Amino acid sequence: MTRFTFRLRTRNGLVVEAVNLQARDREDADRKLMQMYIGCTVLDCQSGVPDGREDAMSFESLISLISREPTDPPVQQPPSSPAGGTDQDRKPDDSSSSASSA
């Protein structure tokens, strides 16, 4: 599929700068454009290969990318203390307070 970028004038006279369509050929792109903008006038048309198509992966390279083992295990961050609190601000456990009162 080829990407076509159109600059056109609508039937109301407004200029639309960039309408991007993907189509097999220019004729197919014109047909799609005329379905969306009935009665428009094409001022300019540029065609090109869609971005990323030239670097397309093969099926085998995609499978190897998915099944590859990570080289480094993920690093786990230590749990952070509550916002603005420290260990000294916390209340003692119930077990330690009940043991001291007995």
Side-chain angles (χ1 to χ4, degrees):
M1 302 274 281
T2 305
R3 180 186 59 198
F4 294 90
T5 302
F6 289 95
R7 183 172 177 260
L8 57 99
R9 183 179 312 275
T10 65
R11 64 181 174 195
N12 296 333
L14 298 174
V15 176
V16 180
E17 291 294 327
V19 176
N20 292 304
L21 297 173
Q22 285 194 355
R24 291 184 305 260
D25 53 17
R26 172 68 191 264
E27 182 180 310
D28 190 31
D30 284 339
R31 182 186 56 79
K32 289 180 179 182
L33 184 69
M34 294 303 165
Q35 287 178 346
M36 292 189 299
Y37 293 93
I38 299 170
C40 71
T41 305
V42 176
L43 302 175
D44 185 35
C45 177
Q46 297 177 359
S47 64
V49 177
D51 295 336
R53 287 291 188 194
E54 52 271 359
D55 296 332
M57 291 185 155
S58 67
F59 180 74
E60 291 79 15
S61 62
L62 181 63
I63 294 299
S64 68
L65 181 67
I66 293 171
S67 64
R68 181 173 37 184
E69 293 292 323
T71 55
D72 294 328
V75 177
Q76 293 183 348
Q77 297 291 333
S80 61
S81 62
T86 63
D87 289 338
Q88 294 174 352
D89 295 337
R90 294 185 186 159
K91 294 179 182 177
D93 294 338
D94 290 333
S95 61
S96 61
S97 63
S98 62
S100 61
S101 63

